[in-house]
């Protein structure tokens, strides 16, 4: 099944690929690897801000991570022209703006990881890091970057 059809079947509408906010590009292709810059938590109402463990609970933060995943997929589509060029999700690195005593970063980043498997099936299973951050850009709750393998 093609990925666009899979998104429609799941009722998922991708956001527009966000423009870079500084001096970097949204994605870089090197060989058959696509490196997508970190996408920060945002939805149709704007940035999803806050410190997890203080302002947001795990469920809300996981939803924010899912939004990062939607932006990552949108960036991959913008970079490649078609999501059907995605061979697999290779790695996600997730950062959670959390209190010093918060230790459920993996459960937060599952919001993004689960989306990748939902959309890409077994090709969405990936290596991953989920780490705490004392602060993230613009005060957002979550940021996730990705590496995709693409067809040559």
């Amino acid at each position: 099944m093609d990925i666009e059809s899979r998104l429609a079947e799941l009722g998922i509408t991708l956001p527009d690929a966000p423009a870079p906010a500084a001096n970097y590009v949204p994605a870089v292709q090197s060989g058959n690897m696509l490196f997508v810059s970190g996408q920060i938590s945002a939805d149709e109402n704007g940035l999803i801000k806050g410190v997890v463990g203080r302002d947001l609970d795990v469920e809300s933060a996981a939803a924010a991570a899912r939004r990062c995943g939607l932006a990552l997929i949108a960036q991959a589509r913008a970079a490649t022209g078609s999501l059907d060029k995605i061979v697999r999700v290779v790695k996600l690195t997730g950062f959670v703006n959390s209190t010093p005593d918060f230790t459920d970063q993996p459960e937060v980043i599952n919001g993004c990881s689960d989306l990748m498997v939902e959309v890409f099936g077994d090709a969405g299973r990936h290596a991953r890091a989920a780490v705490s951050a004392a602060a993230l850009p613009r005060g957002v709750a979550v940021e996730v970057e990705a590496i995709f393998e693409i067809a040559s």
Side-chain angles (χ1 to χ4, degrees):
M1 174 184 293
D2 72 80
I3 299 303
E4 296 291 343
S5 295
R6 179 75 180 142
L7 289 170
E9 177 184 296
L10 294 169
I12 295 173
T13 302
L14 293 178
D16 292 334
N23 188 18
Y24 65 92
V25 294
V28 171
Q29 181 179 341
S30 180
N32 67 339
M33 303 302 275
L34 181 68
F35 298 81
V36 179
S37 295
Q39 301 298 299
I40 58 176
S41 52
D43 61 18
E44 56 281 344
N45 298 314
L47 298 178
I48 301 169
K49 296 181 176 186
V51 177
V52 184
R54 184 186 74 203
D55 308 317
L56 289 93
D57 60 16
V58 171
E59 184 176 293
S60 299
R66 181 179 175 89
R67 295 297 306 191
C68 294
L70 292 171
L72 288 166
I73 295 169
Q75 292 290 9
R77 180 171 64 187
T80 63
S82 170
L83 290 175
D84 293 325
K85 293 182 179 177
I86 304 294
V87 173
R88 80 168 297 123
V89 181
V90 176
K91 183 170 185 195
L92 298 179
T93 303
F95 304 92
V96 181
N97 182 358
S98 54
T99 60
D101 62 337
F102 184 81
T103 59
D104 291 334
Q105 290 81 8
E107 288 76 8
V108 170
I109 301 305
N110 279 348
C112 186
S113 292
D114 292 347
L115 174 69
M116 295 302 168
V117 175
E118 192 178 340
V119 171
F120 296 103
D122 281 341
R125 297 190 188 285
H126 51 272
R128 186 181 88 175
V131 299
S132 179
L136 289 174
R138 315 287 186 253
V140 297
V142 182
E143 179 174 353
V144 184
E145 64 181 22
I147 302 170
F148 296 93
E149 180 184 357
I150 57 175
S152 37

